[in-house]
Each structure stands twice: as C-alpha cells, then as structure tokens.
Amino acid sequence: MDIKAYIESGILELYVAGQLSEQENQEVYELTQKHPEILQEVIAIETALTQLSASASPHATDFNTIKNKISSNPDVIELKPKTTHWVAYTGWAASVLLALGLLWTLNTKNTLEEDIQTVTLEKQVLETQIEDARNNLANTKDLLNAIRAKGILAVPLDGQGNFDASYAKVYWNKGNNTIYLDAQGLPDAPKGKVWQVWSLTLNPLTPTSLGTIDNFNTDDNKIFAIVNENESQAFGITLEPEGGSKTPTMEQLYTLGVVNTAP
Amino acid sequence: MTDLDTLVKQFQQKDINAFEKLYAMYSNSIHGVVYNIVRDSAISDELMQDVFIKAWNNAESYSSSKGRFFTWILNIARNAAIDKTRSKTFKQTKQNLNTDFFVDIIASNDNLESKTDAIGIKKYVTQLGEKCKTLIEFLYFKGFTQKETAETLEIPIGTVKTRNRSCIQKLRDMVL
C-alpha cells in the first residue's frame, strides 16, 4: 500500500472533520493501527484543527461548572439510580393501582347495570300489576253498577238435595236481557264435566238451556254474564258432561231458585 | 496504546480526572466551533457544557474504531449548535445571523493574544484564500457534507478532498 499517496488523498482531513461513513472510519482506524505514519498524520491534522477552532473561541470556560453539573461525588452518583428506581417503582405501583381501580370500577359498573336491569324488570312487573288491579277495579265497578242498576231482579239459587252446601245468585236485567250469574257457591267442575245454566218455566216445567260455563274453573270472580231472552220463572244449574246436555240431568241439579215476580 | 486511548478508557469508566484532562484538551476547540455557529457567547457557553455532559453520560457509546474521540465530540457539538439555531427562541432573538466565517472571528478575537500559536493562526487566516475559507468553514466548522460543499464552491466532489488537504496543510505550516 502506498501510504504517502493515501495520506496525500486528503481522506485523513475528512476523517478528523467527521466527514466519512462508518465503514470508511473503520478502515482509517485499522490503518492507523497498522501504520504509525498514518496515525501521526491524523494527530497532526487534529492538532492543527483543534488549535484553529480554539482560536475562534472568545474566551476559555471553566471545567468546575461542568463538574458541579455532573455531580462527580460518588455518593451522589450512587443516589441517582436509586432515585430512578424509586420513581420507576412508584410509576409501576401507580399503574397497578390504576389497573385495579379500573377493574373495580368496571365491576361496580357491571353490578350496577345488572341492578338497573333487575329494577327495570321489577318496575315492569309492578306496572303490569297496577294495570291489572286497575282493570280489576274497573271490571268490579262495572259489575257492581250492573247489579245495582234499576230494575234488576235478584234470584237466590239454593242448594238442592245432596248439594245442600251449594248456592248461587242470579241478577236479571230484563231491560237488556242479561243475567249475571254469581256462581261463587259452586265447586269447580270435575274433569269431563261442565256447569250448565237453565231457564225454567214452571207450568208446565220446561227447561231451556242458557248454555254451559266452559271457563268456570279458570274464572276469578265466578260471575258470568249470560244472555237470557226467556220469560224465566226459575233458574237452575246442573253438572253435565262436557259440551252440555239438551235436557238437564235432574240428579245433578245443584242449585235452583224461583224468580219472585211479586214487586 | 497511546496516552489518549488510556485517557478515553478512563473517561468511559467515569474517571472525573480523565474527563477534566480531555476537557482541557478540547473544550476551547469545541467552544470555538459552537460559537462560530451560534455567535452568542452565553449560548455557546451553555451549549458547550451540554455537549460535554452529554459526552460524559453517553461515554460508553464511543468506540475508537468509529473515529477520533475529538471527532466524536465535534459531531455532538455541531449537531447541538445547529439544533439550537433552528429552535424557535433562537430564531426570535437572532434574526440576522452574522454571515462572517470563522476567519473573521479569529481575526477580530482579542482574546487570542494570550494563546500560543495565536500569531501564526491570525496570520494564517488573513492570508487564507476564499476557497480555503469556505472549505474549512463548511467541512470542519459547520459539518456540511462533501457534496454540499462541492456544490457551493462549484468544484468536483473529488477536488474537495485534495483542496481541503492543501488548505489544512498551510495551517499546519503556520502553527506547528
């Protein structure tokens, strides 16, 4: 290698000025290690340039300022990492606390949401109950008004024969051809059987079916409005097979009541 | 292993005395480079302190295979100074940066009287040709690339290298 030509190329001046690539720097460095002439040249260039730039400095600066800033005191240096750790630990602790807090908040939020759902459901149920109660009240008022209306005939139906304990009442509104049958005193119809209501004329004894009460067992107040266009003289209720009978089965006559036509 | 290598090793092992020696060797040069860029005595004092503290804190990142130790600090200094000139506060206070080159600073530097080689350097800069002024200013003081320098001087990039060598050769003749 022609060391002189290498030096003359000017690469070493650029090397000192920091103008070379990483790879070139590496190459120059290796050559300075191999060839003392090159190293000497580099040092000479560096010395010239440092002196030149030092001449551009308006005044000298004191090292003590820096010394104080970097806190060369070993005790202080020892402290530094500790402080950093403390800050780091605090940071981590804070993050963990934050994470826990967030989880707790999330959990509370979920619980509250569930509570709200439950309360909303309960509210709906209560609203339905209130609605039902209102409807019931309205129905009961209607019923009461119907029974209390002027010109209503009340016909008590007493228990017959073996069914002494049974009773019923008929409120007959002749004005609109309707009877209200209060059948609270009758037991539930057994399976396969149904209550059938009869209008009777007495002389001669002629039964006319007013129909069966198919929803008897499920009805709450056991009051049924039934159309009756007959000139009834009595009302009777019998237990008949499902679907009803054409003529009443007298053995199964539970209650019977005569219309009191006298004013 | 040279004395400088040993000193740098000790510096990297956080030896404050080694740091002080390196500081004594290079602080004026670094200060000159920084001052040449920012042109403010107080700002360059502050910047130079930052540069050396940064070097101290990042000492382990230096490796001699990457270049000269001085060159390493020189790079840190130029970058810090150029960053400073780009900062908002700096631009507001220094609207019109002096366009003088390092040669003008050196020529008018009264502080030089107390320094060795001062007379030689003053003589050198007054005799320096325009091309040499620009080459040294750009490549060394400002850290511009060879390409940027070649474009400004309108000379081939290969010429930058040789021309720069001859400019610095003249300097060496004067001071050594």
Side-chain angles (χ1 to χ4, degrees):
Chain A
M1 171 180 177
D2 188 344
I3 291 169
K4 196 162 179 287
Y6 185 74
I7 290 172
E8 289 299 325
S9 73
I11 190 171
L12 300 180
E13 281 77 4
L14 295 180
Y15 176 66
V16 173
Q19 290 289 354
L20 300 184
S21 69
E22 210 170 300
Q23 200 194 335
E24 288 170 318
N25 279 331
Q26 179 82 35
E27 284 163 11
V28 174
Y29 171 71
E30 279 161 15
L31 287 171
T32 59
Q33 299 304 99
K34 263 190 246 169
H35 306 284
E37 310 96 288
I38 297 181
L39 180 60
Q40 283 314 306
E41 184 69 14
V42 166
I43 291 171
I45 295 165
E46 187 178 279
T47 308
L49 284 174
T50 50
Q51 287 192 9
L52 179 69
S53 48
S55 306
S57 165
H59 58 85
T61 47
D62 188 14
F63 183 68
N64 284 330
T65 325
I66 289 190
K67 206 172 176 178
N68 293 336
K69 278 196 182 175
I70 61 171
S71 318
S72 63
N73 191 328
D75 292 342
V76 182
I77 284 177
E78 283 291 307
L79 265 178
K80 258 191 168 177
K82 273 185 192 164
T83 317
T84 324
H85 282 171
W86 185 80
V87 170
Y89 290 146
T90 314
W92 280 111
S95 343
V96 169
L97 278 178
L98 183 67
L100 286 177
L102 282 175
L103 279 176
W104 180 77
T105 314
L106 192 69
N107 193 31
T108 313
K109 180 181 157 280
N110 285 342
T111 314
L112 283 175
E113 270 178 3
E114 276 168 22
D115 285 356
I116 289 175
Q117 275 185 349
T118 314
V119 170
T120 311
L121 267 177
E122 280 174 358
K123 185 168 159 271
Q124 280 172 354
V125 169
L126 283 176
E127 275 175 358
T128 316
Q129 283 179 355
I130 291 173
E131 187 64 24
D132 285 353
R134 279 198 187 135
N135 285 343
N136 271 343
L137 185 63
N139 286 343
T140 311
K141 272 185 181 166
D142 285 350
L143 206 59
L144 200 58
N145 285 341
I147 292 169
R148 281 176 167 175
K150 202 182 171 191
I152 286 276
L153 277 172
V155 185
L157 277 62
D158 295 326
Q160 302 296 309
N162 291 336
F163 316 114
D164 202 26
S166 304
Y167 64 93
K169 261 181 189 164
V170 166
Y171 300 90
W172 185 10
N173 186 341
K174 281 190 178 179
N176 60 10
N177 293 329
T178 305
I179 64 165
Y180 300 94
L181 169 66
D182 179 356
Q184 200 166 22
L186 291 177
D188 279 358
K191 210 176 173 204
K193 299 278 185 175
V194 70
W195 293 112
Q196 191 163 4
V197 186
W198 304 91
S199 159
L200 307 162
T201 49
L202 296 176
N203 276 316
L205 185 66
T206 317
T208 311
S209 175
L210 294 180
T212 56
I213 307 174
D214 297 328
N215 60 344
F216 182 89
N217 291 0
T218 53
D219 195 272
D220 278 340
N221 59 12
K222 309 288 184 203
I223 294 179
F224 307 94
I226 302 165
V227 176
N228 177 28
E229 293 172 341
N230 304 297
E231 281 299 317
S232 311
Q233 289 176 316
F235 294 100
I237 300 173
T238 58
L239 195 61
E240 303 290 344
E242 223 167 309
S245 307
K246 286 193 173 164
T247 54
T249 312
M250 292 316 284
E251 299 78 43
Q252 293 295 322
L253 177 67
Y254 271 61
T255 56
L256 180 71
V258 178
V259 178
N260 186 2
T261 46
Chain B
M1 197 178 245
T2 65
D3 291 349
L4 179 65
D5 290 338
T6 315
L7 212 51
V8 170
K9 270 262 147 52
Q10 290 168 341
F11 166 76
Q12 290 184 306
Q13 288 156 2
K14 304 285 178 193
D15 180 339
I16 191 84
N17 294 324
F19 186 23
E20 187 161 10
K21 279 179 194 155
L22 289 168
Y23 182 86
M25 285 165 71
Y26 301 129
S27 64
N28 281 336
S29 308
I30 296 299
H31 194 251
V33 169
V34 170
Y35 180 76
N36 184 52
I37 295 173
V38 300
R39 302 298 169 99
D40 182 295
S41 189
I43 292 175
S44 41
D45 285 3
E46 198 183 301
L47 270 172
M48 198 195 57
Q49 284 174 10
D50 292 348
V51 166
F52 275 89
I53 288 168
K54 199 173 175 186
W56 172 257
N57 290 335
N58 298 292
E60 73 282 357
S61 74
Y62 169 73
S63 150
S64 55
S65 64
K66 287 181 185 169
R68 301 284 295 169
F69 180 75
F70 170 70
T71 309
W72 181 63
I73 297 194
L74 174 67
N75 267 323
I76 300 175
R78 282 192 303 225
N79 290 338
I82 288 166
D83 278 355
K84 186 75 190 176
T85 60
R86 286 175 185 155
S87 74
K88 220 175 185 177
T89 47
F90 187 88
K91 279 180 183 163
Q92 279 164 357
T93 52
K94 296 265 164 189
Q95 282 298 333
N96 301 308
L97 251 194
N98 201 327
T99 50
D100 289 353
F101 279 2
F102 71 99
V103 285
D104 307 298
I105 298 173
I106 293 172
S108 60
N109 193 346
D110 301 328
N111 191 42
L112 277 184
E113 309 308 333
S114 60
K115 287 180 183 167
T116 44
D117 296 317
I119 299 159
I121 288 173
K122 270 205 173 182
K123 202 172 160 195
Y124 165 70
V125 297
T126 48
Q127 290 173 359
L128 208 55
E130 282 306 310
K131 287 233 160 81
C132 275
K133 285 181 188 173
T134 312
L135 275 168
I136 295 176
E137 175 77 19
F138 279 20
L139 291 175
Y140 177 70
F141 280 92
K142 296 273 168 68
F144 290 176
T145 63
Q146 295 176 65
K147 190 163 172 276
E148 287 166 332
T149 310
E151 278 165 6
T152 310
L153 284 174
E154 293 174 332
I155 54 173
I157 194 158
T159 315
V160 169
K161 225 167 35 167
T162 48
R163 186 72 69 88
N164 181 52
R165 170 159 174 87
S166 73
C167 294
I168 290 172
Q169 198 63 46
K170 279 179 209 156
L171 168 69
R172 288 166 61 181
D173 295 342
M174 295 275 196
V175 298
L176 295 174

